Amino acid sequence: MSAPVRFERCRGVGVITVDNPPVNALSTGIPDGIMEHLRRGFDDPAIAALVLIGAGRTFIAGADIREFGKPRDPEAATLRDLIELLEGAAKPVVAAMHGNALGGGLEAALGCNYRVGSPGTRYGFPEVKIGLLPGAGGTQRAPRLIGVEPALEMIVSGDFVASQRALSLGLIDAELEGDLREDAIAFAERAAAERTSHPRIGSPPADRSKLSEGYFEDYRAKIAPRARGLFSPFLCIDCVEFATELPLPEGLQCERELFEQCLASPQSKALIHAFFAERAAAKVPGLPKGLAGRPIAKAGVVGAGTMGGGIAMCFANAGIPVHLVETSEEALAKGLATVHRNYERSVAKGRLSEEKMAERRDLMTSGLSLGELKDVDIVIEAVFEEMDIKIRIFEELDRVCKPGAVLATNTSSLDVNEIASATRRPEAVIGTHFFSPANVMRLLETVRGGKTSDETIAAVMALAKRIGKTGVLVGVCDGFVGNRMLYGYLREANFLIEEGAFPHQVDEALVEFGMAMGPFGINDLAGLDVGYRVRKRQAASRPKHLRYSKIGDTICEMGRHGQKTGKGWYRYEPGNRTPLRDPEIEALIVEESKALGIARREVGAEEIVERCIYPLINEGAKILEEGIALRASDIDVVWINGYGFPRWCGGPMFHADSVGLGKVYEAVCRYHESQGPYWEPAALLKRLAGEGKNFADLDASAASA
Ligand code: T1G
C-alpha cells in the first residue's frame, strides 16, 4: 500500500504527492503528511521550491465528507493548519492540479504561491451543495485573488469552473499542456530562480470599491428563488461580504464561525446523506464485481413523443448515436421538431453552442421501421402506456434486434415481466423509467424483471451514469417505487379537498414544506388525463369498500386537462403558466363535499403535510419490506430526483428519521384510526419504531450484511 502522501526530490524541487484514492480527499492524516514534507523541503538547502500534486485521476477534491459529524482526532493537523504553513512558506510552493480541484483542495492551492493546472481540470467550491461553505479560507482568499463577483458566483452556486475560465480569472497562473508533473517542476524551478519574493493572497479584493451600493443585498435577493429553503448559500454571501470589509485574519475567523453553523445544520446532514445516497444507489449488491455488461455503442428509441424525443436527446447528448423510430412521417416530424426546438432553446439561453447542437443532431437519425434497429445495442420503447401495444412492439423487437441487444421499456408502472414474456430474451428485458422531461430530469428508475440478467442490469446502470442520470434499481410492482408512493400522496391530497381544503391551500402547504410544486400544480403540469388513464386501469382491481375521490375524474371529463388545455385544477391566462384559483372548480369541490355528506372544515397546513408526506414514508416502508427497493436511501434518491422532494430534507425516509420513526408511526396509527385501511401501518415501520431504530440503521445493517 503506497503512502498516502509521498515526497520525491527532482533536481532542486521537492514534489509532494497526495495518493488517497479515489479522490485524494483530505482525510485525517493527509494534512499532517503534507506538512511533514513541506517542512522537510523548507529545511533542505538542496530544495529551492516545492510542488503539491495529486496521484491518480485528480488533485485534492476536498475534505473527506465521510468524516463530517464524526469525532475528530484533536492531535491531527487540520486543513487550516496546512494552509497557515503554506502561507508562511520560505520557499515557493506550486499547486499542480488535474481532474477536480475542489473545496478544501482548491483552498489549499490558494495557500500556495502559484497554481497551475492541466487543460480539462475543473475548479470549484461545491461545499454549498452539501449545505456548507468553503471553511478553510476559500471565501476570503478567492475574492482577493479573482475578484468578488466571480468568487461569489463560484461559492454560492457551487458550480465548477473550466480550466480556460480559471486561467482568465487568474485562479491559476498557467495551464500546462504537457506532462503536469514535469511542467510543474520546471515552473517551480523558474519561480525559484527568477524571483526572490513570491505572491501570496492577502490584499483586499481589487474590485471591492467598484461594487454597487447594496451589492450583497441585491445578490441575496437574486439567489433567493433558487436557494428557497436553503441555509448555507446566504452564509456564503455573508462570508464574501466579510472579505470586502475585514482584514484577512478577522475574515477567516468569521468564516470559521459560519462554517461551524452550517456543519451543525440539519440541512447539511440531509444534503450529505443525499450525496452518498446517490452514489450508493449505483451499487447493486450481488452483481459480480467489475461486471460492466454489454457496451452501448448505438441506441434505438421507439416512439418520438415527448418521452421518446427526450430519451433520444439523452443519448445524443452523451455522444451515443441514436435512431428514433415512429409509425408515421407526421409523428416523426412532430417529434423531431420538438427535439430541435429544445436544442435551439438551449442555444438561445447560451447553455449550448451551435457546434455542439449540430453534433448532437447529427448523432440522431430516424425512420419508420423497427427493422432499422437491427444493429443497436439497446432499444428504449417509449410508446403509449397500453400493454397490448407494448407487447406487439417487443415481439417485433425480439425478432429484428441482434442477439444480446437490451430491450428496455419506459413504462411508468406496467408489469415488466409480462412484457419480457413476449420475447425469447427475457434476460435482456428491463425497465428504464425516465421522468419527464427526460432530457432534464436526472432520475432513471431501472426496473429489474424476474428474469433480467446481471449483464443487462450492469449495462443499464453503467448507461445511466454515462447519460448523466441517477440510476436506481427497483423491482416490479404497480408504480415501481416513485409512482407507487405517489398514489398515496395524491389520494390524500384529493381527500383533503373533499374535507375542507382547496387545491391552492394543499399546494401552498406542501411548497412551504419544501416540495418543488404541490400535487394539484403538478397534476395540471403533467396533464390530468395521465393520472385519469392510470386510475381507469386500476379501477377493476380497486377494492370497492375503499374510499375513492372522483373529483379528479370529473374535472378531467370536463375536458380540463391542465395547462395544456388552459384549465385544470386551476385556470391559466393564455401564454402564462401561473396557476390561478378557479371559482368554478372550488364551487364544484364544495358541491362534491355536500354530495358526499362531508361537513367541510378548516384544514391546517400541518395536517396537510402529515397527510401527504407520511403516506410516502409508510408506503416506502412497505416497498422495503417487499424488496422492491434495495435501500431506504434509494427511495430518498427517487423522490429527490424524480418528484421534487426537498434535497435539504434528505428524502422522505431520511426526513422520517429526522422526525423520529416513533412520531411518524404514532401519526400513521392516528390516521389509520380516522381515515381507515389506506393507513394500515407498515410492519417495518412498526418494528423500527418499536426498537427505537431508524431507516439509516436498516441500510447500515444491510450494507454490512
Ligand atoms: N469525501 C469523501 N468521499 C468522496 C468525496 C469527498 N469529498 N468525493 C467523492 N467521494 C467518493 C464518492 O463517495 C465515491 O465513493 C467516490 O469518491 C467517487 O466519487 C474544508 C468543507 C470529485 C467530482 O464536495 O463532487 O472540502 O461510491 O462517484 O463521478 O472548505 O465525487 O466509490 O465508495 O462522485 O468521478 C468539498 C464532492 C468537500 C466534492 C468526482 N468537495 N465530490 O466525481 O466520482 S467539503 C466536494 C464530487 C470541503 C472545505 C470543505 C465528485 C467528484 P464510492 P464519484 P465522480
Side-chain angles (χ1 to χ4, degrees):
M1 170 76 178
S2 62
V5 185
R6 296 193 294 275
F7 181 88
E8 295 136 285
R9 180 140 64 86
C10 304
R11 303 189 296 272
V13 175
V15 180
I16 300 170
T17 303
V18 176
D19 189 1
N20 183 26
V23 296
N24 289 328
L26 288 160
S27 312
T28 300
I30 300 296
D32 291 285
I34 299 171
M35 292 171 73
E36 174 199 337
H37 295 314
L38 280 171
R39 291 193 182 99
R40 178 175 169 181
F42 295 155
D43 298 345
D44 183 343
I47 297 284
L50 293 111
V51 166
L52 175 63
I53 195 167
R57 61 189 183 129
T58 183
F59 185 66
I60 301 165
D64 188 333
I65 306 175
R66 291 164 304 182
E67 296 183 352
F68 290 142
K70 292 179 184 145
R72 63 176 305 281
D73 172 0
E75 297 305 309
T78 66
L79 173 55
R80 292 180 191 123
D81 299 329
L82 165 59
I83 294 171
E84 201 175 313
L85 180 63
L86 284 166
E87 292 223 303
K91 298 176 181 176
V93 183
V94 179
M97 297 173 279
H98 71 297
N100 296 294
L102 306 175
L106 186 54
E107 289 176 298
L110 293 179
C112 297
N113 303 98
Y114 302 97
R115 286 155 293 282
V116 299
S118 301
T121 303
R122 299 188 301 181
Y123 302 87
F125 294 112
E127 290 90 336
V128 71
K129 294 187 174 179
I130 52 174
L132 300 174
L133 54 83
T139 68
Q140 304 305 302
R141 293 188 178 90
R144 287 174 163 83
L145 180 66
I146 64 174
V148 173
E149 297 187 90
L152 198 56
E153 186 53 33
M154 280 185 79
I155 292 164
V156 173
S157 71
D159 292 343
F160 299 159
V161 163
S163 181
Q164 273 300 311
R165 170 105 170 110
L167 186 63
S168 64
L169 287 173
L171 187 63
I172 58 174
D173 302 294
E175 190 180 59
L176 304 180
E177 304 272 349
D179 176 277
L180 178 63
R181 189 174 181 281
E182 273 313 308
D183 290 359
I185 290 169
F187 185 99
E189 284 174 320
R190 281 196 306 277
E194 293 165 7
R195 303 179 62 149
T196 52
S197 69
H198 302 282
R200 127 174 13 279
I201 298 170
S203 50
D207 59 348
R208 67 172 176 172
S209 56
K210 297 188 201 113
L211 299 176
S212 58
E213 185 64 32
Y215 172 80
F216 290 100
E217 267 324 295
D218 296 346
Y219 200 90
R220 288 184 182 94
K222 185 180 95 170
I223 70 150
R226 69 179 171 183
R228 183 170 70 86
L230 286 172
F231 177 67
S232 74
F234 299 95
L235 271 62
C236 287
I237 298 172
D238 295 346
C239 287
V240 175
E241 189 165 14
F242 294 146
T244 64
E245 296 168 346
L246 301 174
L248 185 57
E250 285 81 344
L252 290 173
Q253 181 52 38
C254 291
E255 174 194 83
R256 192 165 307 154
E257 288 161 13
L258 294 191
F259 175 78
E260 293 304 328
Q261 284 181 37
C262 291
L263 197 55
S265 71
Q267 283 196 5
S268 174
K269 293 173 178 59
L271 289 166
I272 288 172
H273 164 77
F275 174 87
F276 287 118
E278 287 169 345
R279 286 152 181 82
K283 297 181 179 73
V284 179
L287 228 52
K289 197 111 180 96
L291 177 66
R294 176 186 201 83
I296 307 290
K298 187 169 169 38
V301 175
V302 181
T306 309
M307 290 306 289
I311 294 168
M313 288 176 71
C314 291
F315 285 107
N317 297 351
I320 302 170
V322 56
H323 189 77
L324 190 56
V325 175
E326 249 297 353
T327 50
S328 71
E329 280 297 353
E330 185 203 1
L332 193 54
K334 186 164 178 266
L336 289 172
T338 304
V339 168
H340 295 162
R341 208 169 33 252
N342 286 339
Y343 279 136
E344 276 144 17
R345 204 174 293 140
S346 299
V347 169
K349 289 179 181 169
R351 292 193 195 132
L352 187 69
S353 68
E354 294 276 357
E355 180 201 0
K356 272 276 177 223
M357 175 172 70
E359 268 175 39
R360 292 176 181 181
R361 278 178 166 171
D362 293 346
L363 283 167
M364 199 181 293
T365 53
S366 59
L368 301 177
S369 158
L370 292 179
E372 296 156 359
L373 300 176
K374 63 184 184 320
D375 60 357
V376 299
D377 300 296
I378 187 170
V379 182
I380 313 268
E381 166 272 313
V383 302
F384 214 57
E385 194 71 352
E386 292 292 348
M387 183 56 89
D388 52 9
I389 300 176
K390 292 185 187 296
I391 295 276
R392 280 205 305 277
I393 285 173
F394 271 78
E395 286 167 344
E396 175 74 7
L397 289 173
D398 190 28
R399 278 194 293 274
V400 302
C401 291
K402 64 187 178 187
V406 173
L407 306 184
T409 170
N410 176 53
T411 181
S412 57
S413 61
L414 296 178
D415 185 341
V416 173
N417 292 323
E418 189 178 342
I419 294 171
S421 64
T423 73
R424 292 158 299 168
R425 61 175 94 183
E427 74 287 348
V429 174
I430 194 166
T432 49
H433 178 208
F434 288 80
F435 285 73
S436 185
N439 53 307
V440 174
M441 296 297 280
R442 281 170 49 83
L443 180 63
L444 179 62
E445 269 187 324
T446 302
V447 188
R448 77 189 314 173
K451 294 181 179 170
T452 305
S453 67
D454 286 350
E455 288 75 13
T456 300
I457 291 168
V460 172
M461 293 302 278
L463 174 68
K465 181 152 186 164
R466 188 172 162 200
I467 62 176
K469 298 298 178 188
T470 300
V472 181
L473 188 63
V474 300
V476 175
C477 69
D478 187 351
F480 314 133
V481 169
N483 280 349
R484 172 169 160 180
M485 291 165 68
L486 182 64
Y487 297 146
Y489 177 79
L490 296 178
R491 178 195 71 227
E492 290 302 312
N494 280 272
F495 288 168
L496 283 162
I497 62 172
E498 289 179 343
E499 295 169 31
F502 285 113
H504 70 281
Q505 292 167 318
V506 173
D507 283 359
E508 283 163 9
L510 288 163
V511 167
E512 182 58 29
F513 165 77
M515 296 301 287
M517 281 177 82
F520 297 104
I522 279 269
N523 213 207
D524 271 3
L525 177 67
L528 274 70
D529 48 324
V530 175
Y532 180 77
R533 272 200 300 276
V534 172
R535 292 193 300 274
K536 286 301 165 205
R537 177 170 55 77
Q538 292 171 335
S541 57
R542 184 179 304 119
K544 294 295 172 272
H545 68 286
L546 291 182
R547 181 181 173 189
Y548 175 75
S549 168
K550 61 181 178 44
I551 295 181
D553 298 343
T554 305
I555 293 173
C556 190
E557 287 157 1
M558 290 161 67
R560 296 179 63 125
H561 292 180
Q563 289 189 19
K564 57 188 171 186
T565 57
K567 284 183 176 181
W569 292 98
Y570 299 100
R571 63 182 181 77
Y572 299 86
E573 297 298 341
N576 191 324
R577 302 160 72 106
T578 308
L580 302 171
R581 291 176 61 178
D582 188 336
E584 184 188 349
I585 291 299
E586 294 183 8
L588 182 145
I589 290 168
V590 169
E591 274 310 301
E592 183 63 14
S593 304
K594 198 184 296 175
L596 291 167
I598 295 173
R600 290 180 69 81
R601 61 184 172 87
E602 276 301 306
V603 183
E606 187 181 353
E607 179 184 354
I608 290 171
V609 171
E610 283 194 346
R611 290 271 300 272
C612 292
I613 299 298
Y614 286 3
L616 298 181
I617 298 163
N618 200 36
E619 199 62 34
K622 291 174 183 173
I623 283 169
L624 284 169
E625 283 166 1
E626 297 166 27
I628 298 293
L630 291 168
R631 310 168 188 88
S633 65
D634 282 8
I635 295 172
D636 289 334
V637 172
V638 166
W639 267 77
I640 287 170
N641 289 287
Y643 296 83
F645 196 93
R647 190 181 181 86
W648 71 82
C649 289
M653 312 310 269
F654 186 90
H655 175 66
D657 286 354
S658 309
V659 169
L661 293 197
K663 188 167 179 293
V664 173
Y665 175 65
E666 181 274 327
V668 169
C669 291
R670 186 161 26 89
Y671 289 121
H672 184 215
E673 193 64 32
S674 65
Q675 301 296 323
Y678 284 125
W679 285 86
E680 175 75 34
L684 176 62
L685 177 61
K686 179 178 180 182
R687 176 169 70 80
L688 291 175
E691 294 168 359
K693 289 194 177 144
N694 58 30
F695 291 115
D697 298 324
L698 191 72
D699 281 357
S701 53
S704 58

